[in-house]
C-alpha cells in the first residue's frame, strides 16, 4: 500500500470544507421540493470524504460515511423520500463524521458504540437495519459472495479504437485475470497487406469467460471502450438478465463553475501568510525610515534616489494591500454555521424562524473571522431564543407566525459592519431597569436615558430572560460578547424597539495588522490616531470651549457640543499646550459618540504596523498598541473607544455621586 | 525500462499525489502545470502515459488531448483524464477528443495504479 501520509493535512482541510459545505446545503434543503442537484452535491461531499479516507486507513470514517452515502444515494435518485427526519439525521451525521475523523486522524481510540444510535437511525431510514455491511470501503467490488458463472462476450471494436490509445489486447488480458477464458478470433475483415490501413482495427473476438467476480467486473474491463466497440455480455445457461437502469443526473451549471474555481486556487499554510505579512510590516517600517532620512535631500542632487524612494512607497502600499488581501476571507465561513444554530433552536423551542443572510461575500481578515465566530453565535442564539417569540405569541401581537433573523455584513468606510437584527419582542426597558436595580447595578432612583438603559445589557452578570433556557442561558452574557468584540478593536451597539425589533451592530476593523494613522504631537510625545476614526481637525476660537457643571469641557462645533479630552492630562505629558485655542482639536468618532482630542500639532499621516503591547505590558486604557515610526521612535496608538471610556467612567462616577 | 508518465494538472497537490504514487510504483514521472507546458514536455521527452486534468488555464485537458492525437508521436499513447464522478459530459468530450480512459476524483492511489496497469502494463 502506498503511504500518502504527507497528504493527510491536505485531506483533513478538504474534509473540513466538505463537511461545512454539506451542513450548509443540508440546512438549506427544502423538504417539500428537494433539488436533485443539491442532493448530488451533498452525496459527492460524503463520497469524497469516504474516498480519501481509504488512502489514510480511516476505517471508522469509511464505515460511517458509507452509511451516509447509501442514504444519500437513495434520496438523490428518489428511491426514498426526502423527509425532515432524514435531513435531521444527516445534519447530525456531519457532527459525528467530524468527531470520528478527528479521532482517527489523531490516532485516538474510538469507543465501539460511538455514533451507534445515529448509525442505527441511518440504517433504519435506509431500510438496511440489521444488515451487516460487508467491507464497505470496497463495496463496488464485493457486493456479497457471487456464484461462479459463465459469460459469453461478443467484443467487436470499432475501426477507430486505437485512436484513443486503447488496445483490445490489454482488455483481453484484463479479462483473463478474472477467471478461465476461451477466446475465438474473428479475422474475416482483415484485408490484404497492401490495403491494410495502419491504425485501424479489423479484428473482433468472442470470449467465453467463467468467473466468480460478477458481470460488473467484466463491464469494468471494457469501461474505457464502451463507445468504441460493440459489446454484448450474456450469462450462459440463464438467459435472464437484470437490466440495471442507468441513472442520469441533472447537473447544474453552477457545478461547472465550482470546478473552475477550485482549479484556480491553492492552499497555503496560514503560518506562511503570517510570515509574509510580518515581513511586509517590517518593510513598511524600513521604507518609512528611508523616507524620513531622505526628506531633506535636494532633488537636484539626488534625483534618482528620491524618485526611487517615492516609487518604493507607492509599491509598498500596493504590496501591502496585496498581502493583506491574501489573509482576507469572506465572512461566509462564519455565517454558514448560523443556519444550523437557528434551525436547532427553532426545532427545540417550537418556533418558526427564517434566517436571512446578506453580504456573505464581504471579506475580512482571517483572524477577525475566527474571533468573530463566538460572539456572533451568541448573538444569533440570543435573537432566536430570546428575541423571536413563539408563533402563537406572534400571531396574538399581530405579527406573522414566522419570525425573521437578519444577519448582514457590509463594508463601510474601511470598516466592516455586521448587523444581527430580529423582528421579535424587542428589549423591555422596564424589565432591564428592574433587573439592574434588583442586581444592584444601578441606584434605585437613577434616571437613565434610553441609550444608557440599553447599554445595561452589556454589564457583567446581566440576563433578562424570565427562564434560563438550555440554549442561550449558558452563563455567557452580552458582557462577554462586548469584551470579545472590543478585544479585536471593534465596537458593538444595540438598538431596540419594544415589541417590534432588536438590532445589534458590530463594527470591526478590516485587519489587525496595519492601520492608517495620523501622527500627533503632545509635548515631546508622539501618538497615533487611527485615520478611520478622525472626522476633522480644527483650532477652536477663544471662548468656544465651555465647562459644563460636572467639570467636563465641551467644544461648540457649529452648534453641537462635543466633550473634549486633553491628551496631556490623560497620559500625564509635561510641557504640552493646555489652551485648546492655542492647540488643535482632533474630532474623532468613538462608537456612537463624538469626542474632541486636544493635541499640540499634527505631524503627518502614515501607515503604521501595529505591534501588540499585550506580550510585554498590561493593557493600558486608551492605548491599543504601539508602532515604530520612520525615525525609529516608538509611538503609542490611541484607542479612541478607550479614551472615551475614561470619560465614561468619570460620567459614571458623577452619576453614582449624584445618585447617592 | 521504467515507463515515463506525464501528469498535467494545475493543482500542485494533485500533481504531487499522482507523482508520488506513481514513483512509488516504479514509474518515471514528469509534471506540467497546464496543457501548454504539457505539450512542451511531451515534445522534449518520450512519454508512455499521459494523465491530465481537464480544467486548466492556458490549454485545457481537451485541447491537450487533441494536440497529442494530431501528433504522430502520441497518436496511440494512452491518455487518462482526471474527472469528477458523474461528470458524463466531460468524459464524453474527452473521449471524443481521443482520451483513452479516465480516473475519477477524489484521488485514490490504488485505483490509479489499477488503471495504469490496465492501459500500460
Amino acid at each position: 500500500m502506498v503511504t500518502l501520509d504527507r497528504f493527510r493535512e491536505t485531506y483533513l482541510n478538504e474534509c473540513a470544507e466538505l463537511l461545512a459545505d454539506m451542513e450548509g446545503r443540508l440546512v438549506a434543503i427544502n423538504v417539500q421540493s428537494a433539488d436533485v442537484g443539491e442532493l448530488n452535491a451533498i452525496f459527492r461531499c460524503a463520497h469524497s470524504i469516504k474516498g480519501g479516507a481509504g488512502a489514510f486507513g480511516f476505517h471508522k470514517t469509511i464505515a460511517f460515511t458509507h452509511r451516509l452515502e447509501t442514504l444519500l444515494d437513495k434520496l438523490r435518485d428518489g428511491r426514498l423520500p426526502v423527509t425532515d427526519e432524514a435531513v435531521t439525521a444527516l445534519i447530525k451525521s456531519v457532527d459525528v463524521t467530524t468527531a470520528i475523523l478527528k479521532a482517527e486522524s489523531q490516532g485516538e481510540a474510538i469507543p465501539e458504540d460511538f455514533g451507534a444510535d445515529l448509525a442505527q437511525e441511518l440504517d433504519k431510514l435506509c431500510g438496511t437495519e440489521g444488515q451487516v455491511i460487508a467491507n464497505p470501503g470496497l463495496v463496488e467490488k464485493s457486493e456479497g459472495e457471487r456464484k461462479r458463472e459463465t459469460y459469453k462476450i461478443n467484443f467487436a471494436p470499432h475501426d477507430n479504437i486505437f485512436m484513443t490509445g486503447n488496445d483490445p489486447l490489454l482488455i483481453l488480458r484484463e479479462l483473463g485475470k478474472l477467471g478461465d477464458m476461451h477466446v475465438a478470433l474473428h479475422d474475416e475483415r482483415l484485408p490484404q497487406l497492401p490495403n491494410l490501413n495502419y491504425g485501424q482495427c479489423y479484428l473482433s473476438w468472442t470470449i467465453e469467460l467463467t468467473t466468480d467476480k460478477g458481470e460488473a467486473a467484466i463491464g469494468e474491463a471494457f469501461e474505457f471502450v464502451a463507445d468504441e466497440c460493440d459489446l454484448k455480455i450474456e450469462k450462459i445457461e440463464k438467459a435472464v438478465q437484470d437490466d440495471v437502469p442507468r441513472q442520469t443526473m441533472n447537473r447544474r451549471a453552477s457545478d461547472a463553475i465550482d470546478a473552475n474555481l477550485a482549479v484556480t486556487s491553492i492552499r497555503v499554510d496560514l503560518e506562511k501568510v503570517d510570515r509574509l505579512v510580518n515581513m511586509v510590516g517590517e518593510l513598511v517600517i524600513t521604507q518609512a525610515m528611508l523616507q524620513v532620512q531622505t526628506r531633506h535631500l535636494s532633488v537636484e542632487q539626488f534625483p534618482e534616489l528620491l524618485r526611487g524612494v517615492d516609487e518604493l512607497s507607492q509599491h509598498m502600499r500596493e504590496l501591502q494591500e496585496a498581502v493583506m488581501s491574501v489573509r482576507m476571507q469572506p465572512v461566509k465561513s462564519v455565517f454558514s454555521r448560523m443556519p444550523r444554530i437557528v434551525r436547532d433552536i427553532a426545532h427545540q423551542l417550537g418556533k418558526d424562524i427564517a434566517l436571512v443572510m446578506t453580504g456573505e461575500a464581504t471579506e475580512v481578515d482571517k483572524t477577525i473571522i475566527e474571533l468573530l465566530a463566538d460572539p456572533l453565535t451568541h448573538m444569533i442564539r440570543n435573537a432566536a431564543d430570546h428575541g423571536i417569540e413563539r408563533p402563537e405569541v406572534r400571531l396574538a401581537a399581530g405579527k406573522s407566525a414566522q419570525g425573521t433573523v437578519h444577519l448582514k455584513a457590509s463594508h463601510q468606510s474601511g470598516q466592516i459592519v455586521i448587523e444581527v437584527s430580529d423582528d421579535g419582542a424587542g428589549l423591555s426597558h422596564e424589565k432591564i431597569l428592574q433587573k439592574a436595580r434588583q442586581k444592584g447595578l444601578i441606584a434605585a432612583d437613577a434616571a437613565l436615558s434610553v441609550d444608557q438603559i440599553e447599554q445595561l445589557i452589556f454589564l457583567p452578570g446581566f440576563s433578562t430572560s424570565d427562564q434560563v433556557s438550555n440554549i442561550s442561558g449558558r452563563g455567557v452574557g452580552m458582557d462577554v460578547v462586548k469584551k470579545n468584540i472590543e478585544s479585536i478593536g471593534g465596537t458593538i451597539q444595540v438598538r431596540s424597539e419594544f415589541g417590534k425589533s432588536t438590532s445589534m451592530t458590530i463594527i470591526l476593523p478590516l485587519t489587525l495588522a496595519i492601520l492608517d494613522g495620523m501622527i500627533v504631537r503632545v509635548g515631546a510625545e508622539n501618538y497615533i490616531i487611527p485615520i478611520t476614526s478622525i472626522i476633522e481637525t480644527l483650532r477652536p476660537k477663544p471662548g468656544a470651549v465651555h465647562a459644563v457643571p460636572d467639570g467636563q469641557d465641551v467644544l461648540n462645533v457649529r452648534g453641537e457640543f462635543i466633550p473634549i479630552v486633553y491628551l496631556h492630562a490623560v497620559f500625564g505629558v509635561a510641557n504640552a499646550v493646555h489652551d485648546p485655542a492655542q492647540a488643535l482639536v482632533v474630532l474623532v468618532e468613538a462608537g456612537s459618540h463624538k469626542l474632541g482630542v486636544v493635541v499640540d500639532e499634527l505631524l503627518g499621516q502614515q501607515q503604521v504596523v501595529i505591534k501588540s503591547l499585550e506580550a510585554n505590558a498590561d493593557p493600558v486604557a486608551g492605548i491599543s498598541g504601539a508602532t515604530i515610526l520612520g525615525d525609529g521612535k516608538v509611538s503609542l496608538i490611541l484607542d479612541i473607544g478607550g479614551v472615551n471610556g475614561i470619560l465614561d467612567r468619570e460620567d459614571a462616577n458623577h452619576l453614582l455621586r449624584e445618585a447617592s | 525500462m521504467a515507463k515515463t508518465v506525464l501528469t498535467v494538472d494545475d493543482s500542485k497537490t494533485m500533481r504531487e499525489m499522482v507523482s508520488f504514487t506513481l514513483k512509488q510504483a516504479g514509474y518515471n514521472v514528469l509534471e506540467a502545470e497546464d496543457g501548454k507546458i504539457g505539450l512542451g514536455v511531451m515534445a522534449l521527452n518520450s512519454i508512455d502515459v499521459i494523465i491530465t486534468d481537464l480544467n486548466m488555464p492556458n490549454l485545457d485537458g481537451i485541447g491537450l488531448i487533441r494536440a497529442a492525437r494530431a501528433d504522430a508521436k502520441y497518436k496511440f499513447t494512452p491518455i487518462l483524464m482526471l474527472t469528477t464522478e458523474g461528470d458524463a459530459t466531460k468524459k464524453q468530450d474527452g473521449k471524443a477528443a481521443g482520451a483513452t480512459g479516465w480516473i475519477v476524483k477524489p484521488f485514490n492511489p490504488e485505483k490509479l495504479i489499477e488503471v495504469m496497469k490496465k492501459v500500460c502494463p
Side-chain angles (χ1 to χ4, degrees):
Chain A
M1 167 136 180
V2 184
T3 54
L4 290 174
D5 280 354
R6 58 173 67 193
F7 304 109
R8 249 165 106 115
E9 207 51 39
T10 316
Y11 167 69
L12 292 173
N13 281 337
E14 197 185 352
C15 281
E17 271 169 30
L18 288 168
L19 285 165
D21 188 31
M22 216 168 139
E23 185 177 58
R25 288 176 195 271
L26 280 167
V27 169
I29 267 189
N30 182 343
V31 176
Q32 270 84 41
S33 60
D35 182 50
V36 181
E38 281 296 303
L39 288 168
N40 271 326
I42 298 166
F43 173 84
R44 279 200 299 274
C45 291
H47 183 79
S48 295
I49 295 168
K50 189 181 109 176
F56 305 104
F58 296 163
H59 298 294
K60 291 251 180 191
T61 307
I62 297 178
F64 192 79
T65 46
H66 176 71
R67 285 197 163 88
L68 276 182
E69 209 188 52
T70 313
L71 177 57
L72 281 162
D73 194 29
K74 289 188 175 174
L75 293 176
R76 68 171 177 168
D77 60 18
R79 273 179 290 163
L80 281 175
V82 179
T83 58
D84 224 17
E85 292 83 63
V87 173
T88 305
L90 286 168
I91 291 176
K92 280 192 219 153
S93 305
V94 171
D95 294 343
V96 172
T97 310
T98 308
I100 293 179
L101 199 57
K102 191 175 166 212
E104 278 197 310
S105 65
Q106 294 173 354
E108 287 166 12
I110 305 168
E112 258 323 300
D113 59 349
F114 183 78
D117 292 352
L118 191 56
Q120 209 175 6
E121 201 181 329
L122 291 173
D123 288 351
K124 208 167 118 195
L125 287 162
C126 276
T128 54
E129 195 178 14
Q131 289 178 17
V132 178
I133 299 169
N135 206 356
L138 304 165
V139 73
E140 292 94 358
K141 285 182 192 162
S142 59
E143 280 166 357
E145 285 299 304
R146 283 177 199 282
K147 278 190 295 182
R148 224 172 136 77
E149 308 260 18
T150 304
Y151 300 86
K152 185 177 166 196
I153 304 160
N154 283 313
F155 175 40
H158 294 166
D159 290 355
N160 66 355
I161 190 165
F162 295 120
M163 297 302 170
T164 58
N166 278 294
D167 185 345
L169 184 62
L170 294 180
I171 294 168
L172 293 179
R173 267 194 214 162
E174 281 287 313
L175 283 178
K177 289 183 199 160
L178 296 176
D180 301 330
M181 182 169 75
H182 296 278
V183 184
L185 169 71
H186 308 289
D187 58 0
E188 299 81 10
R189 286 176 63 228
L190 203 61
Q192 292 296 315
L193 201 53
N195 299 331
L196 189 85
N197 188 359
Y198 162 75
Q200 188 176 335
C201 182
Y202 298 96
L203 305 174
S204 65
W205 294 266
T206 302
I207 304 141
E208 259 187 49
L209 175 68
T210 306
T211 175
D212 57 2
K213 301 282 195 308
E215 197 177 318
I218 301 175
E220 212 170 286
F222 293 101
E223 193 185 8
F224 292 160
V225 293
D227 295 335
E228 283 103 41
C229 72
D230 292 324
L231 183 66
K232 211 166 109 194
I233 306 174
E234 50 188 356
K235 227 182 261 181
I236 303 180
E237 289 146 34
K238 262 199 266 167
V240 192
Q241 225 180 334
D242 309 25
D243 257 42
V244 184
R246 289 224 156 189
Q247 294 290 341
T248 47
M249 287 192 288
N250 294 325
R251 291 183 48 78
R252 298 179 313 156
S254 67
D255 284 7
I257 295 166
D258 283 355
N260 272 328
L261 278 178
V263 165
T264 52
S265 69
I266 57 159
R267 273 173 213 286
V268 182
D269 253 6
L270 198 58
E271 218 174 282
K272 286 188 189 169
V273 177
D274 283 345
R275 219 158 60 211
L276 208 59
V277 171
N278 261 335
M279 283 317 298
V280 170
E282 297 299 327
L283 269 180
V284 168
I285 293 172
T286 313
Q287 175 259 325
M289 192 197 75
L290 279 176
Q291 209 160 20
V292 170
Q293 296 302 317
T294 53
R295 195 179 290 158
H296 307 294
L297 297 179
S298 93
V299 184
E300 283 76 39
Q301 256 180 305
F302 305 99
E304 293 296 312
L305 175 64
L306 290 177
R307 212 184 60 215
V309 170
D310 257 9
E311 267 171 30
L312 182 66
S313 80
Q314 207 170 348
H315 293 159
M316 267 323 296
R317 190 168 272 267
E318 271 168 41
L319 176 63
Q320 216 173 69
E321 266 166 29
V323 169
M324 293 320 291
S325 76
V326 173
R327 282 189 57 94
M328 295 294 205
Q329 277 195 332
V331 286
K332 196 177 169 206
S333 55
V334 186
F335 275 24
S336 63
R337 302 180 204 172
M338 301 305 156
R340 166 93 187 262
I341 293 165
V342 172
R343 188 183 189 274
D344 285 354
I345 292 177
H347 249 242
Q348 236 169 306
L349 300 179
K351 293 180 180 178
D352 189 359
I353 307 174
L355 176 67
V356 181
M357 299 194 288
T358 44
E360 292 155 278
T362 310
E363 291 199 325
V364 196
D365 191 280
K366 185 168 164 61
T367 320
I368 293 185
I369 288 196
E370 278 162 6
L371 295 170
L372 198 57
D374 282 346
L376 208 55
T377 306
H378 192 78
M379 286 160 70
I380 289 280
R381 277 209 180 105
N382 264 341
D385 187 9
H386 301 315
I388 304 286
E389 317 90 324
R390 285 170 190 286
E392 62 272 16
V393 179
R394 291 182 62 87
L395 288 172
K399 297 181 184 180
S400 60
Q402 189 181 53
T404 308
V405 177
H406 198 144
L407 181 55
K408 200 170 108 186
S410 60
H411 281 298
Q412 271 172 35
S413 55
Q415 288 176 312
I416 176 167
V417 178
I418 293 171
E419 191 185 337
V420 178
S421 54
D422 65 72
D423 62 352
L427 295 173
S428 159
H429 292 169
E430 217 151 286
K431 258 192 205 169
I432 294 176
L433 279 174
Q434 198 186 323
K435 195 79 159 207
R437 288 197 185 108
Q438 192 189 320
K439 297 212 167 184
L441 296 169
I442 54 167
D445 54 352
L448 300 178
S449 70
V450 173
D451 251 14
Q452 284 170 316
I453 293 171
E454 286 178 347
Q455 288 298 318
L456 287 175
I457 65 163
F458 294 117
L459 288 178
F462 195 89
S463 165
T464 56
S465 179
D466 294 334
Q467 278 176 317
V468 173
S469 68
N470 68 341
I471 292 165
S472 49
R474 294 180 189 192
V476 188
M478 287 307 294
D479 58 316
V480 178
V481 171
K482 188 176 188 206
K483 232 167 80 189
N484 282 348
I485 298 289
E486 283 176 350
S487 72
I488 49 177
T491 58
I492 181 165
Q493 291 159 31
V494 60
R495 285 273 167 279
S496 175
E497 201 171 335
F498 183 57
K500 279 192 181 163
S501 65
T502 310
S503 138
M504 303 243 178
T505 310
I506 303 176
I507 300 175
L508 291 168
L510 275 180
T511 167
L512 298 178
I514 288 172
L515 65 79
D516 270 307
M518 177 68 76
I519 309 172
V520 299
R521 187 178 64 81
V522 180
E525 299 292 330
N526 290 342
Y527 295 93
I528 311 268
I529 301 178
I531 291 272
T532 46
S533 55
I534 298 181
I535 309 166
E536 63 176 314
T537 304
L538 48 94
R539 168 165 287 161
K541 290 199 179 88
V545 174
H546 307 271
V548 287
D550 66 358
Q552 173 70 57
D553 281 356
V554 295
L555 173 64
N556 181 352
V557 181
R558 296 178 286 273
E560 189 182 356
F561 287 93
I562 296 169
I564 60 175
V565 53
Y566 298 89
L567 268 196
H568 69 84
V570 173
F571 296 119
V573 182
N575 299 328
V577 183
H578 287 211
D579 178 6
Q582 303 291 316
L584 283 173
V585 176
V586 182
L587 288 189
V588 293
E589 201 153 33
S592 56
H593 306 285
K594 282 182 186 169
L595 189 67
V597 179
V598 181
V599 302
D600 289 9
E601 67 170 326
L602 302 182
L603 294 180
Q605 190 178 330
Q606 192 189 316
Q607 275 211 323
V608 299
V609 181
I610 304 171
K611 301 276 177 192
S612 170
L613 285 178
E614 266 165 52
N616 305 308
D618 288 336
V620 182
I623 297 294
S624 65
T627 192
I628 303 167
L629 294 179
D631 56 6
K633 261 168 99 178
V634 172
S635 172
L636 298 172
I637 301 167
L638 288 191
D639 166 23
I640 298 302
V643 173
N644 197 29
I646 296 174
L647 272 188
D648 276 356
R649 233 172 296 141
E650 283 167 8
D651 275 353
N653 288 339
H654 286 296
L655 209 69
L656 284 176
R657 252 178 272 143
E658 274 163 37
S660 56
Chain B
M1 247 283 274
K3 305 267 188 190
T4 303
V5 184
L6 168 66
T7 165
V8 191
D9 204 312
D10 56 344
S11 153
K12 190 164 175 253
T13 314
M14 205 62 201
R15 279 202 314 271
E16 281 180 358
M17 283 180 47
V18 169
S19 166
F20 179 77
T21 307
L22 291 177
K23 278 178 186 160
Q24 293 270 311
Y27 293 92
N28 287 332
V29 187
L30 299 173
E31 295 181 24
E33 59 191 60
D34 64 37
K36 218 167 168 181
I37 298 171
L39 288 180
V41 175
M42 283 157 64
L44 293 170
N45 300 275
S46 226
I47 314 282
D48 297 301
V49 182
I50 298 159
I51 300 175
T52 179
D53 188 24
L54 290 180
N55 276 314
M56 287 182 297
N58 296 326
L59 181 67
D60 68 0
I62 305 287
L64 173 82
I65 297 168
R66 282 208 191 101
R69 291 301 179 224
D71 179 351
K73 188 171 160 194
Y74 292 107
K75 205 167 177 157
F76 305 118
T77 305
I79 305 179
L80 298 169
M81 49 189 168
L82 280 163
T83 64
T84 31
E85 195 220 16
D87 203 339
T89 346
K90 281 271 175 196
K91 245 184 223 175
Q92 259 165 21
D93 290 352
K95 285 298 283 186
T100 307
W102 53 84
I103 295 165
V104 172
K105 287 192 222 175
F107 180 74
N108 174 337
E110 274 102 298
K111 184 78 193 165
L112 172 65
I113 299 295
E114 199 184 301
V115 174
M116 282 296 294
K117 291 215 170 107
K118 209 157 142 180
V119 299
C120 179

